[in-house]
Amino acid sequence: MSGQQEPPAPGAEPDPGRPPAQPQPQPPRRGSFVRDLRIVWAERDFRRLLSTRLISQTGDGIFTAGLGTYVFFNAATFPNPAKGAVAFAVLYAPYSLIGPFAGVFIDRWSRRQILVYSALLRSVFVALTAGLMASGNLGAPLYVAVLLVLGVNRFFLSSLSAALPHVVAGDKLVMGNSVSPTAGGTMAAIGGLLGLGVNAATGDTEAGAAITLLVAGACYIAASMVARTMGRDLLGPTRQPDQAGPGRVLTELGVVAAGLVAGVRYVSRRRGPATALGATGGNRFLYGILFLMSILLYRNYFYRGASPSTAETHYGYLVALVAVGYFCAALITPPVTRRLSKAAFIALLLVVSAVAIGALGETYSQTGYLIMGFFLGVAGQGIAICATTVLQEQLPDGYRGRAFSLYDMMFNITFAAGALISVPFMPLNGKSQALVLVVACGYALVAAGYWLTGRHSAGPGVGGGPIPADAAHVSSS
């Protein structure tokens, strides 16, 4: 029902410790994804960079599917709430804790070399993870290996973002930023489906999960080979002759940490961005509870006596409906926010979530959960689009990069926290009427709190105009 998040920065991924270099503002365009792709695809170096991303993110989807099926749909074991919550924490922590500091190194080393060697290093760590899976390991060594894979991936994704301005012209940068994460997310979803297919074909066993991961490792090797076709210095970093080089690593890491603290203080004093981050965190916290509950329901309740592959297949239907909801949100959010303020739409989406959960959550019907998943997909992506647009509109360039680092942390850490905090109250089969009621009421309270505190901060004008067409391409899923 959710995927890993890449920070939706409007340009090259900034160093949170210093004002990020941003392209000149451009007027909103009424464009389409296909048109943008056709325009930027004409750039030879962009094609190579995008191909590197697409191959790698296909591997990401396969890796996530292999890991998820091993942890949650293993024929030899039934998942429990604690193991599920730990898995979420391992999957999401690197993106939040490593991401803000990655720029210190990305601004020092050749980004082309980072792409080449980080992809190869990931393939090695994937092979290690596959070996642990084949041995039936579901303990600390496996999670350490997964952390290594995802931690290196954070550098890879950040380098892709930082390299983009070097392969497209300045007047096409907005198009490039619309196309790249959207296409990458699409390929990750396709990779996830491929991973489920490979896992099902190999019998949903430890060996099958290991084979699935090795396919992901092959994608990373292929991505490294494509990245190698680009010139070593093509992607930067570049410096002017009179520009000072980077300082000491520890000093710059300290600057990043201090910058994040300053960013928290600055954003917390601006009601619009602060409440948008709060709404994002509230939504993701409650969604994390539902995510864990849904996996346990499908594996241990709906299909308790069936084969894991049957549960996995039907859970795939739920994931697909959530993805359809994400896509629909990207279509409906721009026209709706031309009539409603973003604050009103965020509050409305939170209310829709509360109603959907309250009406369908305690039916414990698969049809009901499919419908609920669709509405939660619409709400989650709609909130993400509005929240990221508020940050883009209401914060100056000098703080925007740090704000998106905070957004990234809020998006991922609260999701894992929701799952972790629900563990003591989550039954093994996931069926808990009390938890469903708590989550439904939680959404209603978040909606009320956000509306009362944020409704005057996202009206017409700064932070309140219609969402640019490009913002609909931001993917937070």
Side-chain angles (χ1 to χ4, degrees), residues 261-284:
V261 172
V264 170
R265 292 174 179 169
Y266 184 88
V267 172
S268 65
R269 294 194 294 267
R270 272 108 188 126
R271 182 184 298 179
T275 54
L277 288 175
T280 298
N283 171 64
R284 292 293 291 175

Side-chain angles (χ1 to χ4, degrees), residues 333 337 342 345-346 381-391 467:
T333 299
T337 51
K342 286 182 282 296
F345 191 48
I346 289 175
Q381 184 70 344
I383 291 169
I385 293 171
C386 291
T388 54
T389 307
V390 167
L391 296 181
I467 290 181

Side-chain angles (χ1 to χ4, degrees), residues 6 33 50 53-54 57-58 179-190:
E6 181 178 352
F33 173 81
L50 181 62
R53 173 190 285 272
L54 297 183
Q57 291 204 250
T58 300
V179 166
S180 293
T182 304
T186 300
M187 291 309 298
I190 293 173

Side-chain angles (χ1 to χ4, degrees), residues 78 297-311:
F78 282 89
L297 281 170
Y298 272 81
R299 181 65 175 90
N300 297 344
Y301 178 72
F302 291 144
Y303 296 98
R304 170 75 184 186
S307 68
S309 60
T310 301

Side-chain angles (χ1 to χ4, degrees), residues 73 75 196 199-200 203-204 298-299 302-318 366:
F73 296 97
L196 291 176
N199 194 73
D204 293 300
Y298 272 81
R299 181 65 175 90
F302 291 144
Y303 296 98
R304 170 75 184 186
S307 68
S309 60
T310 301
E312 180 184 326
T313 298
H314 285 81
Y315 191 75
Y317 300 152
L318 176 61
Q366 290 187 60

Side-chain angles (χ1 to χ4, degrees), residues 296-442:
L296 295 172
L297 281 170
Y298 272 81
R299 181 65 175 90
N300 297 344
Y301 178 72
F302 291 144
Y303 296 98
R304 170 75 184 186
S307 68
S309 60
T310 301
E312 180 184 326
T313 298
H314 285 81
Y315 191 75
Y317 300 152
L318 176 61
V319 172
L321 261 294
V322 174
V324 171
Y326 286 165
F327 179 77
C328 290
L331 296 179
I332 68 174
T333 299
V336 169
T337 51
R338 285 195 286 270
R339 295 168 176 80
L340 297 176
S341 70
K342 286 182 282 296
F345 191 48
I346 289 175
L348 177 62
L349 291 171
L350 291 167
V351 170
V352 168
S353 299
V355 172
I357 296 165
L360 301 171
E362 296 193 8
T363 63
Y364 295 103
S365 156
Q366 290 187 60
T367 300
Y369 271 68
L370 291 173
I371 297 171
M372 185 172 72
F374 170 79
F375 280 110
L376 290 177
V378 172
Q381 184 70 344
I383 291 169
I385 293 171
C386 291
T388 54
T389 307
V390 167
L391 296 181
Q392 290 171 344
E393 290 177 337
Q394 297 193 18
L395 293 175
D397 284 350
Y399 285 91
R400 195 174 293 161
R402 280 169 279 186
F404 277 107
S405 292
L406 296 174
Y407 175 89
D408 189 36
M409 292 179 178
M410 184 69 72
F411 192 93
N412 290 315
I413 290 178
T414 54
F415 177 84
L420 286 168
I421 290 175
S422 69
V423 167
F425 314 101
M426 185 78 69
L428 182 62
N429 64 3
K431 184 178 180 180
S432 172
Q433 294 180 334
L435 269 180
V436 170
L437 179 61
V438 167
V439 172
C441 292

